[in-house]
Amino acid sequence: MNTQSFALRHIGIREKDIEKMLSVIGADSIEELIEQTIPADIRLNEGLTLPEALTEQEFLNLSQNLAEKNRMFKSYIGMGYHESITPSVIKRNILENPGWYTAYTPYQAEIAQGRLEALLNFQTVVCDLTKMEIANASLLDESTAAAEAMTMLFDVRSRNQKKENVVKFFVSEEVLPQTLSLLQTRAIPLGIELVIGDHENFEFSTDFYGALLQYPGKHGQVNDYAEFVSKAQESNIKVAVAADILSLVLLTPPGEWGVDVVVGTTQRFGIPLGYGGPHAAFFATKEAYKRNIPGRIIGLTKDTDGNDALRMALQTREQHIKRDKATSNICTAQVLLAVMAGMYAVYHGPEGLKDIATRVHNYTKTVAETIKAYGFEQLNTVYFDTIKFKVNNVQGIRTVSESKGINLNYIDDETVSISINEAFTKKDIRPLVNCFVESQALNEKGSITEYEGQTIPDALVRKSSFLEHETFNSYHSETDMMRYIKKLERKDLSLNHSMISLGSCTMKLNAASEMLPLSWARWGNIHPFVPVEQAEGYHLVLRELEEQLNVITGFAATSLQPNSGAQGEYAGLMVIRAYHESRGESHRNICIIPASAHGTNPASAVMAGMKVVVTKTDEQGNIDVVDLEEKVNEHSENLAALMVTYPSTHGVFESSIRYITKLIHDNGGQVYMDGANMNAQVGLTNPATIGADVCHLNLHKTFAIPHGGGGPGVGPICVAEQLKPFLPSNPLIETGGEKAITAISAAPWGSSLVCLISYGYIKMLGAEGLTDATKMAILNANYIKARLNGAFEVLYLGEQGRVGHEMIIDCRPFKENGIEVTDIAKRLMDYGYHSPTVSFPVGGTMMIEPTESESLVELDRFCDALLSIRAEITEASVEDANNVLKNAPHTLAMVTSDNWGFPYSRQKAAFPLTYVAENKFWPTVRRTDEAFGDRNLMCTCPAVEEYAEV
Ligand SMILES: *Cc1c(COP(=O)(O)O)cnc(C)c1O
């Protein structure tokens, strides 16, 4: 045994356990189990061609060496990204803390109150700074958020506008180029017509439904849009503004002009640049649009005892419910980054933020005045942090700047802009100014005068207060902040407490060695628009990761741009669309999707301009081939694609898959494989072998990026040769295929920083470790199935009676005892467990996915818990709802109360099995009331008076 092997650390099952598990399962060997699970005609004949596995130490050394190849410039490029300072207390206690980064989306509110509070803080920051009524808890980046604004406003066009077919959307030429590219991508399939121009000359005609402005503009000009907004309102044109969050501390917030939506990024609230991401975007709007907001909204409600509790609000808006009626496919967002940005505001408070913004502004003025004193002409009159100059020698300035390790924004042959950030200090003034001075061989003048006091005209000066809530005025010492973060962390059940067996989500180990490099400045502090040669370390990693994923999927090329699985779906379908168009077959617009598909599938298809045709699943949960054949024949002329999840969302490797993919190809369609279940394939089969043409991978599922409580994610798409030319581009940095579609994300390589995690995962496991991980994931799932046998019915099995890496247990029969699936989910909390996935893809069921990282001891504890609950179900009855399941979860307050009015013991309530006592996890609230919260929607930190009213 090689004790240095990372596979031994990543995989929880020990060699000695395997035989015992196989005997419980009833298989002679792992190989036999796999043969019974995966159809023979799709098995790979050879192992993955990947280099030998590295030890953890070797990987850390490699990462260090690669990091050295990134050149550390001072980047004043701006364009939506700014160097910022992550407070160490946040870095250490959140970014580097598995208590925060290993949690899942807070579906089980009672054991997620910590991050729910942190996200409520985030929403409060956004609402206060923008002066809007309601905000979500994050989107993927500023550009996709702007696209969501464009599509939401399109969707809510008033009835008479719709009749007239009003489809024009005005985009100010001040909007960031990456945002414009994304708007183009998203507008075309929906039939939205973009009109780009100068907002000052805009004619407010009735064929426009909306407009997007940038505040401050892309090169720093701060415009007063009050008049534009009021004219737009008169013409029934809705206005969205993409705003810089830090500038809003000093500038009039767009909400005060009456705009409809404000979007932006919170990157500069303490989030590393990370060569493009991840960062949390925000989306704030009017209460009137609350049912149309994309993404998750955290809201306040009550628990069973009437105490305040938080949970995700208005869930019926989401694509899981609305499917092909949905207008957004956002699922994974940027929760961890939103938590951090919110905490940045908590730590600095309103005064701290004012100080930071003022300092940035004063330095900007100092730099502007100093450069002007040398005779350079400044082109923007009103600015916050970005100044633009006319120069006659851009190349000269660039040469001097680069020799000093400085990046400016070189706009064209005669214009340069500079964006100042929080990390700027007095020492940085002279070198920056000298980029201009030396380029003209001017003489350096004496000392620099530092300016104070703002240059912003009165109408644009913010007068309203913000962040008055106690939370933002209490934790300004490190001790207090550390304890506040810890207090919230303790309310949440994460992977550092117990297994989280959420089916379809693959909650595996996020190894510390994979995570460590994220903290290093040489990875964190690289602006996405630096010249590519400055980011050589990144390019070596990104290129090799693309190659690794090509090998694993069997495909020809990969784009790392999409920031989530759903974005990957959209990207893949847009690539298919471009492919059909290139062949003169743009009429192909039918996308066939099985009824059991994840909600993002139909939502993505509609966003890509396709029509969804649903195909049935048969009794065994497989695609109903007869029904599929009918649909394919009917739509053969216009067939664009089939979207298929493999193994299916039912956890089974369908044996007809090759027939199915061939059928689609024979009828002119392309096959999109949803790769969320890739953890059951790696090394054993692959999407190319089953006959797919494109798939997305959820690097935050199969490839070890932590879920972060609901993001970040990376959803790369891997494509066959014929689709490679269409991979997405970026308007500023060359990437993508030669006939590339426009941007899918703002940054050229999406969330580059967290790609380091998947890179390390593959590097350290190597071909054999990756394949073993897949086998152990399948072993663990089949072991759980065997242990639950007789107590819970597993709904779907493969032809030889096996499940893949996950399984669905039926909880509907327990209705006879008055027990719903939710009761089981909540009761599991009393046993120290997070529930498996509830009611997806089948209502009233649970989907269990243990992953390869869990030990046999943990699997057994979990099975013991479920079997014990099964016995409790038998004791329950419809007539008497006062039982241990219906009252679950039990809080510490209940169990220690002087009044214990329940017909079972405190012991049974809180310590139902002996293992629980050793490591008890207390849910901090009782069951949350969904309906109450949705009726009384409150999505920001409640003021003390509001508390009293509710
Ligand atoms: C997780 C998942 C998705 C969506 O991925 P996100 O990264 O959350 O956008 C799509 N399909 C399936 C089957 C999934 O499990």
Side-chain angles (χ1 to χ4, degrees):
M1 185 171 90
N2 176 4
T3 55
Q4 287 189 308
S5 157
F6 173 68
L8 280 177
R9 306 298 186 189
H10 175 77
I11 295 173
I13 296 301
R14 304 293 89 181
E15 193 65 38
K16 65 178 168 51
D17 302 328
I18 292 178
E19 208 172 317
K20 183 180 160 207
M21 295 171 75
L22 286 171
S23 76
V24 174
I25 293 170
D28 288 337
S29 65
I30 296 289
E31 190 43 43
E32 184 188 285
L33 174 67
I34 300 300
E35 274 170 20
Q36 292 168 344
T37 306
I38 305 182
D41 66 338
I42 58 165
R43 282 291 299 277
L44 300 180
N45 299 320
E46 285 161 34
L48 299 168
T49 48
L50 292 170
E52 209 163 306
L54 301 184
T55 65
E56 292 177 69
Q57 198 52 42
E58 284 167 342
F59 169 69
L60 288 171
N61 290 337
L62 172 68
S63 191
Q64 189 83 52
N65 292 339
L66 289 167
E68 300 289 329
K69 295 187 196 293
N70 291 327
R71 301 182 58 199
M72 300 306 286
F73 275 47
K74 281 267 166 203
S75 288
Y76 304 117
I77 299 170
M79 304 294 274
Y81 301 92
H82 305 266
E83 185 177 346
S84 72
I85 299 170
T86 313
S88 297
V89 63
I90 294 176
K91 184 175 178 182
R92 170 138 302 193
N93 293 287
I94 297 179
L95 180 63
E96 298 177 343
N97 179 352
W100 283 95
Y101 66 68
T102 67
Y104 199 71
T105 301
Y107 285 129
Q108 300 296 334
E110 298 82 0
I111 50 174
Q113 292 293 303
R115 59 191 186 279
L116 286 164
E117 177 169 328
L119 293 173
L120 194 78
N121 293 346
F122 175 84
Q123 291 175 178
T124 306
V125 172
V126 170
C127 286
D128 276 17
L129 287 175
T130 59
K131 276 278 174 182
M132 298 300 285
E133 290 163 348
I134 185 168
N136 70 9
S138 92
L139 292 178
L140 299 167
D141 59 30
E142 174 168 323
S143 300
T144 48
E148 296 287 350
M150 172 182 78
T151 50
M152 185 191 89
L153 295 176
F154 186 62
D155 195 45
V156 301
R157 282 168 304 162
S158 59
R159 186 160 289 155
N160 52 8
Q161 274 184 326
K162 277 185 191 171
K163 254 190 252 154
E164 289 163 37
N165 219 3
V166 179
V167 296
K168 283 190 182 165
F169 188 75
F170 173 75
V171 184
S172 157
E173 58 199 15
E174 289 285 318
V175 164
L176 293 169
Q178 66 271 27
T179 298
L180 179 59
S181 180
L182 225 135
L183 294 176
Q184 285 163 340
T185 313
R186 298 279 287 268
I188 294 166
L190 300 179
I192 295 171
E193 199 182 310
L194 298 183
V195 176
I196 300 144
D198 179 352
H199 75 280
E200 304 234 2
N201 307 329
F202 179 61
E203 309 226 348
F204 294 82
S205 72
T206 51
D207 47 353
F208 283 84
Y209 76 87
L212 176 69
L213 307 169
Q214 186 96 33
Y215 181 63
K218 64 181 174 187
H219 301 138
Q221 179 68 19
V222 181
N223 291 310
D224 188 341
Y225 294 122
E227 200 183 307
F228 182 96
V229 176
S230 78
K231 281 194 189 152
Q233 280 170 342
E234 286 163 21
S235 315
N236 206 4
I237 298 171
K238 306 280 185 249
V239 181
V241 174
D244 177 292
I245 190 94
L246 186 62
S247 76
L248 299 184
V249 169
L250 300 184
L251 300 177
T252 302
E256 291 178 6
W257 300 321
V259 304
D260 297 279
V261 184
V262 185
V263 298
T265 174
T266 54
Q267 180 269 316
R268 66 192 312 186
F269 272 21
I271 312 300
L273 288 163
Y275 199 46
H279 320 125
F282 63 85
F283 186 106
T285 187
K286 295 178 170 169
E287 183 99 11
Y289 304 129
K290 67 185 179 191
R291 302 212 172 266
N292 306 88
I293 303 178
R296 270 115 193 206
I297 306 169
I298 308 309
L300 192 68
T301 188
K302 299 286 179 200
D303 76 358
T304 310
D305 285 339
N307 294 319
D308 285 316
L310 295 162
R311 92 289 176 240
M312 295 198 289
L314 301 173
Q315 294 261 4
T316 49
R317 300 162 307 125
E318 288 207 32
Q319 70 305 121
H320 295 285
I321 309 284
K322 294 177 86 177
R323 303 185 74 88
D324 58 336
K325 305 280 179 313
T327 48
S328 164
N329 64 352
I330 288 290
C331 184
T332 287
Q334 301 279 20
V335 168
L336 189 70
L337 300 311
V339 166
M340 288 174 64
M343 288 295 185
Y344 176 95
V346 169
Y347 195 41
H348 288 298
E351 295 312 315
L353 291 181
K354 273 180 219 162
D355 179 61
I356 292 165
T358 305
R359 190 154 22 91
V360 165
H361 181 65
N362 288 344
Y363 277 133
T364 310
K365 182 166 182 194
T366 299
V367 171
E369 294 302 326
T370 312
I371 292 175
K372 280 200 297 196
Y374 286 96
F376 291 92
E377 184 191 350
Q378 187 183 344
L379 296 175
N380 56 337
T381 47
V382 183
Y383 57 86
F384 163 62
D385 68 348
T386 299
I387 44 184
K388 177 167 145 185
F389 286 93
K390 185 163 187 315
V391 291
N392 52 22
N393 180 11
V394 168
Q395 199 44 51
I397 290 187
R398 182 166 184 160
T399 307
V400 178
S401 303
E402 291 188 353
S403 75
K404 293 177 186 294
I406 288 175
N407 289 317
L408 308 179
N409 184 27
Y410 309 104
I411 299 168
D412 55 32
D413 289 347
E414 46 188 34
T415 358
V416 173
S417 73
I418 302 169
S419 295
I420 304 296
N421 57 59
E422 180 195 7
F424 195 88
T425 66
K426 199 168 164 169
K427 281 210 322 278
D428 297 315
I429 303 174
R430 178 54 76 188
L432 176 54
V433 169
N434 279 4
C435 297
F436 287 71
V437 176
E438 290 171 26
S439 76
Q440 303 281 20
L442 300 170
N443 287 330
E444 190 180 302
K445 293 179 193 162
S447 64
I448 287 170
T449 314
E450 283 195 57
Y451 284 85
E452 277 187 29
Q454 54 186 343
T455 61
I456 300 162
D458 193 55
L460 285 167
V461 173
R462 178 169 189 132
K463 298 179 185 82
S464 47
S465 57
F466 55 90
L467 301 186
E468 290 178 309
H469 191 273
E470 205 189 328
T471 304
F472 302 98
N473 295 281
S474 301
Y475 311 110
H476 302 327
S477 78
E478 180 164 334
T479 302
D480 287 342
M481 187 67 187
M482 172 179 72
R483 288 182 188 152
Y484 178 60
I485 293 172
K486 184 69 189 174
K487 176 177 120 181
L488 298 193
E489 180 199 336
R490 287 174 60 220
K491 298 181 180 195
D492 289 14
L493 192 143
S494 302
L495 276 179
N496 63 354
H497 183 86
S498 58
M499 169 162 78
I500 301 180
S501 61
L502 281 162
S504 211
C505 303
T506 315
M507 301 292 287
K508 62 172 63 178
L509 170 75
N510 316 114
S513 292
E514 292 154 5
M515 296 294 293
L516 281 178
L518 268 60
S519 298
W520 304 345
R522 279 181 168 274
W523 292 119
N525 200 14
I526 310 280
H527 191 288
F529 301 145
V530 299
V532 285
E533 61 275 9
Q534 286 177 23
E536 194 193 338
Y538 260 115
H539 284 281
L540 289 168
V541 168
L542 298 173
R543 210 173 314 137
E544 192 174 344
L545 178 58
E546 287 171 9
E547 279 159 21
Q548 291 165 335
L549 298 178
N550 292 345
V551 168
I552 289 168
T553 57
F555 281 136
T558 292
S559 166
L560 294 167
Q561 201 176 100
N563 284 326
S564 71
Q567 294 302 99
E569 292 169 20
Y570 177 68
L573 293 173
M574 290 300 285
V575 162
I576 290 177
R577 184 185 153 100
Y579 165 78
H580 287 313
E581 256 171 30
S582 76
R583 294 157 47 94
E585 304 214 308
S586 45
H587 57 277
R588 290 193 175 270
N589 70 341
I590 299 289
C591 185
I592 301 182
I593 302 179
S596 61
H598 194 267
T600 53
N601 289 192
S604 301
V606 170
M607 286 167 60
M610 295 184 184
K611 261 183 67 189
V612 175
V613 171
V614 178
T615 184
K616 286 189 222 155
T617 35
D618 67 16
E619 297 257 297
Q620 285 81 44
N622 297 323
I623 289 180
D624 182 333
V625 175
V626 175
D627 184 61
L628 180 70
E629 283 168 342
E630 264 172 39
K631 302 264 154 77
V632 168
N633 285 338
E634 186 185 337
H635 297 288
S636 165
E637 282 283 289
N638 295 320
L639 183 62
L642 168 77
M643 282 186 103
V644 58
T645 305
Y646 201 75
S648 72
T649 51
H650 293 138
V652 172
F653 286 91
E654 298 173 52
S655 51
S656 50
I657 189 70
R658 298 249 307 214
Y659 174 76
I660 290 171
T661 53
K662 184 170 182 300
L663 177 68
I664 299 301
H665 289 148
D666 289 347
N667 286 276
Q670 294 278 291
V671 177
Y672 183 97
M673 192 198 87
D674 179 328
N677 290 343
M678 196 64 198
N679 210 43
Q681 289 196 31
V682 179
L684 300 177
T685 181
N686 68 36
T689 302
I690 70 163
D693 301 286
V694 43
C695 72
H696 78 257
L697 301 174
N698 303 66
L699 299 192
H700 47 300
K701 293 178 179 170
T702 312
F703 296 94
I705 294 176
H707 282 271
V714 176
I717 53 169
C718 309
V719 297
E721 199 65 47
Q722 77 275 15
L723 298 180
K724 187 174 163 184
F726 308 100
L727 289 177
S729 60
N730 178 277
L732 296 167
I733 302 285
E734 199 184 322
T735 182
E738 65 262 21
K739 294 184 215 158
I741 60 169
T742 43
I744 291 293
S745 302
W749 289 275
S751 295
S752 306
L753 182 65
V754 289
C755 284
L756 296 170
I757 301 167
S758 300
Y759 174 74
Y761 173 79
I762 297 170
K763 274 288 196 204
M764 290 191 286
L765 280 180
E768 202 181 316
L770 286 166
T771 311
D772 283 347
T774 311
K775 290 176 180 170
M776 293 304 116
I778 291 173
L779 175 72
N780 288 357
N782 280 284
Y783 177 75
I784 292 180
K785 169 181 164 280
R787 278 221 51 203
L788 299 183
N789 190 24
F792 293 90
E793 193 198 339
V794 172
L795 273 186
Y796 303 107
L797 302 174
E799 283 178 4
Q800 303 192 52
R802 303 299 183 196
V803 294
H805 68 312
E806 62 190 0
M807 84 214 70
I808 296 173
I809 57 170
D810 196 358
C811 302
R812 291 168 299 191
F814 310 138
K815 285 198 170 105
E816 263 179 44
N817 303 54
I819 299 303
E820 305 285 334
V821 65
T822 312
D823 301 321
I824 303 173
K826 303 304 172 191
R827 181 60 177 152
L828 270 167
M829 296 173 187
D830 291 332
Y831 287 83
Y833 281 105
H834 191 287
S835 169
T837 299
V838 171
S839 289
F840 170 79
V842 183
T845 67
M846 277 185 172
M847 181 155 58
I848 305 171
E849 180 185 3
T851 83
E852 68 278 11
S853 299
E854 299 299 337
S855 67
L856 179 57
V857 174
E858 182 70 0
L859 297 179
D860 278 331
R861 263 199 297 259
F862 176 73
C863 291
D864 291 345
L866 272 179
L867 293 172
S868 174
I869 290 174
R870 182 66 188 82
E872 292 168 359
I873 294 171
T874 311
E875 292 164 18
S877 72
V878 178
E879 294 74 42
D880 187 6
N882 190 4
N883 62 51
V884 76
L885 284 140
K886 286 283 175 206
N887 294 329
H890 296 84
T891 60
L892 183 61
M894 287 166 82
V895 173
T896 55
S897 163
D898 289 338
N899 307 310
W900 176 258
F902 302 105
Y904 45 86
S905 73
R906 289 173 155 103
Q907 173 84 24
K908 178 164 181 167
F911 299 98
L913 288 175
T914 48
Y915 78 81
V916 179
E918 274 172 44
N919 192 17
K920 177 66 186 170
F921 187 90
W922 290 105
T924 51
V925 296
R926 294 192 66 187
R927 249 188 243 194
T928 57
D929 185 338
E930 303 297 321
F932 178 87
D934 284 353
R935 275 198 314 275
N936 304 278
L937 194 64
M938 194 182 291
C939 303
T940 54
C941 297
V944 179
E945 321 77 80
E946 289 174 54
Y947 250 101
E949 278 169 33
V950 173

